[in-house]
Amino acid sequence: MRVAHRRSATVRCLTALALGMLALTGCSTDDGPAAATASGTSAAPAPSPDGTSPTTTPTGTTPTGTTPTGTTPTGTEPSGTAARWAGTKQFVQIDDARTADGRTYLSVRPAQKKPHPQFEAWVIVPGEGPYTEVSMAEDAQVLLSVPLGDAKHPASYAQADFVGRLTARPSSDRALLGYDLSFDGEGRVTRVQSLYTP
């Protein structure tokens, strides 16, 4: 009788311990990359970039890090922030692009996209806050549509051609453009696709 009583008491203790661990795990405040979901070009518009969106990074503290040249450009967060996007897809604006040390770097921030009310196109709702510099993988795919590309449907372009086309546009025009970015496990961009905007 005592042995059965001890076993049931042990089972109750282990059950309580397991439930306590589950509760602690469920209360974590760090959404991390697992909370981010893909936002395809045919999906509904992404919610606001204030940290509530599953396709944006949470706002708050910025991890330490620097750009490849050892300095952080004015108006951008340190590049270590991009590691939060590792393994995710993000919808962003790209303010600037550059090539250094054989690698392409993009200055990005989360934004929103909404279906155009009259055309089969997108309306870009600019995000707020600083831009984050991210690097592109060497073999990253670039797909561009009008107005950055030459046609309504996405076509493949070289990274250098993309940088040239983007930087040739005035910054006021860049604010009206939006991109779906895919990141690898190290936070590097593996795919850039511009959205068709009239």
Side-chain angles (χ1 to χ4, degrees):
M1 187 94 164
R2 283 185 181 171
V3 173
H5 187 298
R6 286 182 185 166
R7 283 185 183 162
S8 66
T10 303
V11 169
R12 281 189 298 232
C13 287
L14 289 175
T15 303
L17 179 62
L19 290 174
M21 294 293 284
L22 284 173
L24 288 174
T25 303
C27 292
S28 173
T29 57
D30 182 17
D31 293 336
T37 58
S39 62
T41 56
S42 62
S48 70
D50 62 358
T52 60
S53 166
T55 59
T56 62
T57 57
T59 56
T61 59
T62 303
T64 57
T66 58
T67 61
T69 57
T71 60
T72 302
T74 305
T76 64
E77 293 181 19
S79 60
T81 306
R84 288 183 163 176
W85 294 333
T88 66
K89 290 184 180 178
Q90 301 290 322
F91 179 70
V92 302
Q93 293 171 274
I94 300 178
D95 180 58
D96 199 10
R98 66 183 179 90
T99 304
D101 303 324
R103 180 159 274 174
T104 302
Y105 297 91
L106 309 175
S107 181
V108 306
R109 78 173 168 200
Q112 294 181 40
K113 58 183 174 182
K114 295 183 178 179
H116 195 284
Q118 297 176 340
F119 307 105
E120 189 178 323
W122 293 96
V123 175
I124 310 307
V125 180
E128 295 179 358
Y131 285 86
T132 300
E133 187 168 79
V134 296
S135 64
M136 292 183 68
E138 191 174 311
D139 58 348
Q141 183 181 23
V142 178
L143 299 171
L144 303 179
S145 303
V146 168
L148 205 56
D150 295 327
K152 176 180 176 180
H153 299 288
S156 184
Y157 289 81
Q159 290 184 30
D161 197 18
F162 167 55
V163 171
R165 286 171 179 254
L166 180 74
T167 55
R169 299 188 76 86
S171 60
S172 57
D173 287 359
R174 296 179 207 170
L176 304 175
L177 304 178
Y179 306 84
D180 282 317
L181 266 55
S182 297
F183 291 84
D184 65 12
E186 297 177 13
R188 292 175 303 189
V189 177
T190 58
R191 187 172 186 267
V192 175
Q193 181 171 347
S194 70
L195 267 62
Y196 169 60
T197 55

